[in-house]
Amino acid sequence: QAGAALWFCFLKPHLFLPWALVLLLWIILGRRYRILLGATSALALSCAVTWLIDPQAFAQYLHWARTSGISAEFIPCLSVALRDVVQPAARWLAYVPAILGSLWAVVYFWPRRQHWDWLRHGSLVTLISLLVAPYCWIYDQPLALPALMFGLWQTSSRKAIAGFAAICIVLELQGFWATAGLRSRWYLWPAIAWLVWYLVASRSKLSAEAVPLAAPAILT
């Protein structure tokens, strides 16, 4: 059951690259292979069901991915913006932040591997993963909510809480002036804002109820 829950991450794996690398290291070092078995079994089962429904589904998807031209379109996220600034035709540039983010995640994880906490440490890795994803739409960013809720829970700073509310309000209101819709460059800032807010909130004094937490039951 624990590993099977990770099936949801396979729906958009590009959003979890640094996080997934840390998870794999955590599984291997702790010999938690049942989690890996559960995840691969759930993925294999879902692929088998998809194939039974439509044997051509995977071939059609690969054809669409090669010919749609979507990889050259603008998506309001850091990686695509970097590609367009440096060399729009160099599509591989969109993967550079994810590679650097994955290297950072390993460096961050390694000294904490013996006491890794998926809420405290994993929240930061999640926000980094969203920031450096090869492409990420604004409607993908609710994946940051568990990390942000943990940040709200652990902080005692009213300024941090007010800052979170201000970010949410601005994000809701900007739909009125983001004339390009979901492709508007106005949506470049939220992933950066969430990360900066979380780092600031984490540095504030912990609330009296905040205590070190173990890994969530889903990953144990």
Side-chain angles (χ1 to χ4, degrees):
Q1 293 180 345
L6 293 171
W7 175 85
F8 292 99
C9 298
F10 290 121
L11 295 176
K12 289 200 170 183
H14 59 283
L15 300 175
F16 297 95
L17 296 178
W19 185 89
L21 180 57
V22 169
L23 175 64
L24 183 60
L25 290 173
W26 182 76
I27 289 174
I28 293 174
L29 293 176
R31 298 186 178 183
R32 302 173 178 92
Y33 298 116
R34 287 193 300 176
I35 295 175
L36 190 60
L37 178 61
T40 54
S41 298
L43 178 62
L45 179 60
S46 64
C47 290
V49 171
T50 301
W51 182 83
L52 288 173
I53 295 173
D54 182 3
Q56 300 300 318
F58 296 105
Q60 291 169 356
Y61 178 79
L62 290 175
H63 175 74
W64 171 86
R66 289 194 299 265
T67 61
S68 66
I70 193 172
S71 61
E73 296 179 4
F74 177 77
I75 297 173
C77 65
L78 177 66
S79 300
V80 175
L82 173 67
R83 180 203 68 191
D84 287 355
V85 168
V86 177
Q87 177 55 262
R91 299 177 184 178
W92 60 270
L93 284 173
Y95 294 90
V96 171
I99 294 172
L100 295 178
S102 297
L103 292 175
W104 169 85
V106 172
V107 173
Y108 179 73
F109 166 78
W110 196 253
R112 299 169 178 82
R113 63 189 183 279
Q114 298 298 334
H115 52 89
W116 184 256
D117 185 323
W118 277 104
L119 282 179
R120 193 174 308 282
H121 303 132
S123 293
L124 179 58
V125 177
T126 299
L127 295 175
I128 292 290
S129 297
L130 289 174
L131 180 65
V132 303
Y135 62 96
C136 179
W137 295 94
I138 186 62
Y139 51 70
D140 292 324
Q141 293 191 19
L143 291 171
L145 282 176
L148 299 175
M149 293 300 100
F150 177 68
L152 286 170
W153 175 81
Q154 70 174 345
T155 185
S156 62
S157 170
R158 293 183 179 180
K159 292 182 179 179
I161 296 173
F164 177 83
I167 294 173
C168 292
I169 291 172
V170 173
L171 184 57
E172 289 296 322
L173 291 177
Q174 80 169 26
F176 292 102
W177 65 74
T179 56
L182 294 176
R183 295 184 183 274
S184 172
R185 294 184 181 273
W186 283 103
Y187 288 114
L188 282 169
W189 68 271
I192 301 172
W194 296 136
L195 176 60
V196 172
W197 177 86
Y198 181 84
L199 292 174
V200 172
S202 298
R203 289 181 176 274
S204 64
K205 184 179 179 181
L206 297 181
S207 62
E209 294 83 5
V211 294
L213 300 175
I218 195 173
L219 293 175
T220 57

